[in-house]
Amino acid sequence: FILPGYFHGGPSRLPMHRAQDLSGCAAAPALNLGDLDLTTDEFILDEVDIHIQANLEDDLVKEALRTGVDLRQYSKQVETELQRIEQASIKDYIKESQNIASLHNQITACDSILERMEGMLSSFQSDLSSISSEIQTLQQQSVSMNLRLKNRQAVRSQLSQLVDELVVPSTMISVILDSPVTEQEFLEQLHELNSKINYAKELSFRETLACSDIQDIVDRLKIKAVSKIREFILQKIYSFRKPMTNYQIPQNTLLKYRFFYQFLLANERTVAKEIRDEYVDTMSKIYFSYFKSYSSRLLKVQYEDVADKDDLMGVEDTPSLKSRNTIFTLGQRGAVLSPAELEGPILIPHTAQRGDSRYPYETLFRSQHYALLDNGCREFLFLSDFFMVAGNSALDLFNSIMGKTLSMFLKNLSTYLSDCYDSIAVFLCIHIILRFRAITVKRNIPALDKYWEAVLELLWPRFELILEMNIQSIRNTDPQKLGVLDTRPHYITRRYAEFSSAVVSINQTFPNERTNALLGQLQVEVENFVLKMAAEFPSRRDQLIFLINNYDMMLGVLMERAADDSKEVEGFQQLLLARTQEFIEEILSPPFGGMIAFVKESEALMEKGQLDKLRNDEARITQLVRGFSSSWKQSVEALSQDVMRSFTNFKNGTSIIQGALTQLIQYYHGFHKVLSQPTFRSLAVRSELINLHHLMVEVKKHKPNF
């Protein structure tokens, strides 16, 4: 732009680079001189003033004005430069005219192509719109077709199952009609027939018309199958009745075909009931007959010599009682409770008869009840499996078969017990039942539980009665009627010891308080009896020998079988210890009584501090010292021989001698101690005392060795 007033003027005083900057300002949009038409009437000077004012605010203009540049000269330079550039630009355009023309043609061709592409894209857009609507239509059709397919598949599945279940193949018909029931093929087709019968029943509830098409043929096949199964099972049951038949074999065969009864139970209950009733009736008779015969044969091999009501613990020893030496002793009878014999083979009566073998009642009882246990467990398992019963139903069915046999057992046992006085036999029978009951519990067979209880209810009262009779017999014993007095163990205490040890040893496995209470009563009566018998002896020494011999014998027998900490063992140990100590004092008294009395008297005075009261007993002390020194060896020897003669148990006699010698040394040690007191220290006789260590060495020489 050209400032007013500077269109003409002096030379430019602006530097060239500032003029170039200013030439840049000429292109600024603030004021374009080409837009100013000074010849028009519409030109308004106010607007020019505004533009001028605005340009004056420009930094370059301010600088030009400040430095005094000649803008006219500068304007000419700029104009010349612009003309030069314009000419150069025209030359460039002319030079590039062909390229520009070619570019123009290319742009024109591109416009044509783009126009065609626009048309094609518009066509594609239209086609895509129509395709989208078609896809949506196809999707709807696909969903509809998929739904119809699923519905058809569901219908087809049900119809296929229906057709499969309703169709009766010719193979099934021929097998059911012609094949033996024992063939595997028959069993398989019977399963299929049962499935079709159940399905037909289900369809009939839904009132399916197709069911009527096969009902007739299915019914006829069912009747034929029921008939063949009934005949087969009844034949097996009838085969049980043949003599010498092992019925377990046909039972195992029936278990292989347990589905036959299941088929009958589901489709023909009257036939199923007929078969079940026939089985119950047949097996009930078989078991009853077998066990009745077996029990009667067992009794033929029982010991003939058995205890009677007079064979009690407190009665006088008679020849007849001596011959029945197992009435109160256990001996080998306890072996019947060992695991090997308890579950061993049952006795064969005719074999035992040929060998003239005889057995106590508990052995026969074990054999009889082990046979019952074995057969009963097997029968209960068969009934539960084949007849598909459980709980009370299984127990009721079992009792309907075995009830008659069990009643016979209880009746026979009751008859035997009414005249039985063999308490050990009864007690062994009790423990046989307790062990058999434990076996059935372990096998989880509850069928015989009530029977075991019934047997125990017969055995326990009888055992208690026999035991009470023995207790009463001892209580009523008159010592004066038992023959000549003897310090050796009495036969009644021996009976008690044998019997008590037997019961205690048996009772350890299954402890019973009722038994312990009765044994306690029996022990009290035996202790009282021993004291009554001892009182018959005139001297205390003989009384003590009798007591010690009996206590020692009872303790020895008990410890062979009973536990060391049992109540009976502990009781007799205390009694034996007390009487032994008293006897030691008794036998030491004759040869050494003076010294013992002096020691006891002196020790009592020493405790009171009054030992000086014996200061004048020098003569007595001298006699005691010299008497002991001169005779103690002979006295000890005589004492030892006397003890060994008095006691039947050498071990016990040896123990008593050792106790007596130990007590003697203690007394002599006390004698030494008394004489060492100041009161007696000046006595000359003290030098004659035997050295305590020397005495102990000499005493050891007199200890008997057995």
Side-chain angles (χ1 to χ4, degrees):
F1 61 83
I2 303 298
L3 292 175
Y6 286 87
F7 290 103
H8 307 281
S12 173
R13 286 177 294 186
L14 287 173
M16 186 63 192
H17 69 276
R18 297 300 294 173
Q20 289 174 349
D21 291 342
L22 207 58
S23 70
C25 291
L31 178 63
N32 192 342
L33 295 179
D35 294 336
L36 296 178
D37 187 0
L38 300 178
T39 63
T40 61
D41 294 334
E42 298 176 357
F43 181 73
I44 301 173
L45 292 177
D46 291 339
E47 292 182 2
V48 174
D49 290 338
I50 291 171
H51 286 294
I52 292 172
Q53 189 64 36
N55 287 325
L56 288 174
E57 295 296 327
D58 185 84
D59 290 338
L60 292 176
V61 175
K62 287 181 179 180
E63 179 66 20
L65 292 175
R66 187 178 63 82
T67 55
V69 176
D70 187 352
L71 294 178
R72 284 174 295 184
Q73 184 65 33
Y74 180 72
S75 174
K76 286 180 181 181
Q77 291 176 0
V78 170
E79 189 174 350
T80 302
E81 185 69 24
L82 287 173
Q83 287 175 354
R84 187 184 62 78
I85 293 171
E86 182 181 0
Q87 291 298 321
S89 176
I90 291 170
K91 289 179 182 180
D92 287 338
Y93 276 114
I94 293 171
K95 183 179 177 182
E96 298 293 331
S97 60
Q98 290 182 351
N99 292 337
I100 292 171
S102 174
L103 179 62
H104 175 72
N105 291 334
Q106 289 177 5
I107 291 172
T108 303
C110 284
D111 285 344
S112 175
I113 292 169
L114 290 173
E115 186 175 357
R116 289 200 307 273
M117 287 183 67
E118 182 180 6
M120 289 173 62
L121 290 173
S122 298
S123 174
F124 287 160
Q125 184 178 11
S126 176
D127 291 342
L128 287 172
S129 298
S130 63
I131 289 172
S132 176
S133 63
E134 288 177 8
I135 289 174
Q136 191 171 4
T137 303
L138 287 172
Q139 185 179 8
Q140 292 174 351
Q141 291 176 355
S142 175
V143 170
S144 176
M145 289 174 67
N146 189 38
L147 181 61
R148 289 198 298 272
L149 176 62
K150 286 183 178 178
N151 290 338
R152 288 178 181 179
Q153 286 176 338
V155 171
R156 178 184 176 184
S157 174
Q158 293 187 1
L159 285 175
S160 175
Q161 182 184 359
L162 177 65
V163 172
D164 289 343
E165 292 291 347
L166 288 178
V167 170
V168 180
S170 58
T171 306
M172 177 185 291
I173 297 172
S174 62
V175 169
I176 295 295
L177 293 178
D178 301 328
S179 295
V181 296
T182 54
E183 294 288 336
Q184 180 64 26
E185 195 176 14
F186 180 87
L187 188 60
E188 292 172 358
Q189 293 301 327
L190 189 66
H191 277 279
E192 290 294 327
L193 177 59
N194 189 55
S195 176
K196 291 186 183 300
I197 292 171
N198 292 334
Y199 196 70
K201 288 178 183 177
E202 184 182 344
L203 292 180
S204 66
F205 291 135
R206 301 180 191 172
E207 299 180 356
T208 305
L209 296 177
C211 177
S212 60
D213 294 341
I214 64 157
Q215 192 65 51
D216 182 56
I217 182 107
V218 168
D219 287 343
R220 283 189 287 171
L221 285 175
K222 181 181 74 172
I223 292 170
K224 182 64 176 176
V226 167
S227 174
K228 293 176 73 173
I229 290 171
R230 175 183 177 276
E231 183 181 357
F232 170 74
I233 296 179
L234 287 178
Q235 282 180 351
K236 290 297 177 187
I237 293 174
Y238 293 151
S239 69
F240 294 171
R241 302 176 180 178
K242 295 178 183 178
M244 306 301 291
T245 298
N246 183 357
Y247 60 86
Q248 294 171 11
I249 295 175
Q251 269 187 341
N252 292 336
T253 304
L254 285 176
L255 284 177
K256 287 169 58 180
Y257 302 104
R258 61 174 66 85
F259 181 71
F260 287 173
Y261 185 78
Q262 184 179 343
F263 181 83
L264 294 178
L265 199 61
N267 299 292
E268 198 61 56
R269 284 186 171 272
T270 54
V271 177
K273 185 177 184 303
E274 177 193 4
I275 287 175
R276 176 167 158 166
D277 291 345
E278 192 65 37
Y279 179 85
V280 168
D281 182 63
T282 299
M283 293 307 296
S284 176
K285 291 176 180 176
I286 288 173
Y287 281 125
F288 181 77
S289 174
Y290 166 72
F291 279 110
K292 182 179 180 182
S293 172
Y294 184 65
S295 299
S296 62
R297 290 179 180 178
L298 279 178
L299 291 177
K300 293 179 181 179
V301 295
Q302 182 183 357
Y303 281 130
E304 295 177 0
D305 197 8
V306 295
D308 58 36
K309 62 181 179 179
D310 295 324
D311 295 334
L312 299 174
M313 203 175 291
V315 301
E316 187 178 354
D317 209 2
T318 61
S320 63
L321 193 59
K322 286 181 179 178
S323 64
R324 293 192 287 271
N325 57 2
T326 58
I327 294 175
F328 304 109
T329 61
L330 186 61
Q332 297 301 315
R333 296 172 72 180
V336 75
L337 298 178
S338 65
E341 193 166 329
L342 188 70
E343 299 183 56
I346 62 173
L347 288 177
I348 310 299
H350 61 270
T351 304
Q353 280 181 300
R354 282 203 300 267
D356 289 333
S357 299
R358 289 292 182 268
Y359 301 94
Y361 179 76
E362 65 271 8
T363 301
L364 311 181
F365 182 87
R366 194 281 318 173
S367 184
Q368 179 185 24
H369 281 81
Y370 187 67
L372 174 65
L373 168 71
D374 193 37
N375 286 276
C377 289
R378 185 182 291 106
E379 186 64 31
F380 182 79
L381 292 173
F382 173 82
L383 295 175
S384 301
D385 199 356
F386 186 77
F387 292 105
M388 297 179 296
V389 289
N392 290 331
S393 299
L395 293 176
D396 292 341
L397 184 59
F398 178 84
N399 289 329
S400 64
I401 292 174
M402 300 296 294
K404 194 175 178 183
T405 301
L406 298 180
S407 297
M408 177 192 69
F409 273 15
L410 291 173
K411 183 179 178 182
N412 291 346
L413 180 62
S414 179
T415 302
Y416 168 79
L417 291 175
S418 64
D419 195 37
C420 173
Y421 297 92
D422 188 349
S423 53
I424 288 183
V426 177
F427 197 59
L428 285 170
C429 290
I430 289 172
H431 278 265
I432 288 169
I433 294 298
L434 292 175
R435 284 160 173 77
F436 282 167
R437 184 171 66 180
I439 291 172
T440 55
V441 169
K442 186 178 179 180
R443 295 182 184 179
N444 196 24
I445 306 292
L448 292 169
D449 287 356
K450 289 186 177 179
Y451 174 74
W452 300 139
E453 292 301 324
V455 172
L456 291 174
E457 286 175 6
L458 290 174
L459 292 170
W460 272 119
R462 189 64 189 180
F463 175 71
E464 291 171 356
L465 175 64
I466 299 171
L467 208 53
E468 286 169 359
M469 290 172 65
N470 280 288
I471 291 171
Q472 191 62 40
S473 72
I474 294 175
R475 186 180 297 138
N476 296 337
T477 299
D478 185 355
Q480 296 181 352
K481 295 180 180 180
L482 294 179
V484 181
L485 289 174
D486 192 338
T487 57
R488 290 175 296 180
H490 200 275
Y491 55 81
I492 289 180
T493 57
R494 180 171 292 280
R495 291 174 191 168
Y496 161 77
E498 295 285 356
F499 176 78
S500 182
S501 67
V503 173
V504 169
S505 65
I506 295 169
N507 202 45
Q508 285 173 350
T509 309
F510 290 88
N512 181 272
E513 289 304 318
R514 294 157 71 180
T515 305
N516 292 335
L518 287 169
L519 283 179
Q521 294 179 30
L522 182 62
Q523 182 177 346
V524 168
E525 293 302 329
V526 169
E527 289 175 8
N528 291 337
F529 164 76
V530 172
L531 292 175
K532 284 195 296 183
M533 285 297 300
E536 295 295 312
F537 291 92
S539 69
R540 183 57 181 166
R541 178 180 174 281
D542 288 342
Q543 290 177 1
L544 290 172
I545 292 173
F546 176 80
L547 290 173
I548 291 171
N549 273 329
N550 281 273
Y551 291 153
D552 176 63
M553 183 273 298
M554 288 188 284
L555 186 62
V557 174
L558 279 169
M559 290 182 69
E560 287 179 7
R561 297 187 182 275
D564 292 344
D565 58 350
S566 68
K567 189 168 63 176
E568 291 78 11
V569 169
E570 289 180 354
F572 283 116
Q573 280 177 335
Q574 293 174 2
L575 289 171
L576 178 62
L577 183 62
R579 298 290 79 80
T580 299
Q581 196 60 40
E582 185 180 351
F583 179 74
I584 288 172
E585 295 291 335
E586 186 73 22
I587 59 174
L588 289 177
S589 182
F592 308 109
M595 181 190 70
I596 294 171
F598 177 78
V599 169
K600 290 180 178 179
E601 182 182 358
S602 300
E603 287 177 347
L605 290 172
M606 282 169 62
E607 289 182 4
K608 298 177 183 178
Q610 300 174 354
L611 192 59
D612 289 344
K613 289 183 178 181
L614 300 177
R615 183 182 296 275
N616 298 323
D617 284 356
E618 182 178 351
R620 177 186 174 190
I621 295 171
T622 302
Q623 183 182 359
L624 290 175
V625 171
R626 291 173 179 171
F628 182 86
S629 300
S630 62
S631 64
W632 75 268
K633 289 185 179 180
Q634 296 86 347
S635 298
V636 167
E637 185 66 32
L639 180 147
S640 298
Q641 293 177 1
D642 184 33
V643 168
M644 297 312 296
R645 284 195 302 268
S646 300
F647 296 101
T648 54
N649 183 350
F650 286 163
K651 185 177 180 181
N652 185 43
T654 302
S655 175
I656 291 173
I657 292 173
Q658 289 178 350
L661 295 178
T662 301
Q663 188 66 36
L664 175 62
I665 290 173
Q666 288 179 352
Y667 280 132
Y668 200 69
H669 178 259
F671 193 47
H672 266 262
K673 187 177 178 181
V674 170
L675 294 184
S676 65
Q677 297 299 312
T679 305
F680 306 114
R681 197 171 291 168
S682 60
L683 293 178
V685 77
R686 287 184 66 247
S687 62
E688 299 181 28
L689 285 171
I690 300 173
N691 180 272
L692 199 60
H693 179 70
H694 175 70
L695 179 64
M696 291 173 65
V697 172
E698 289 296 321
V699 162
K700 284 183 180 179
K701 296 178 182 178
H702 290 272
K703 285 186 178 180
N705 295 313
F706 293 99

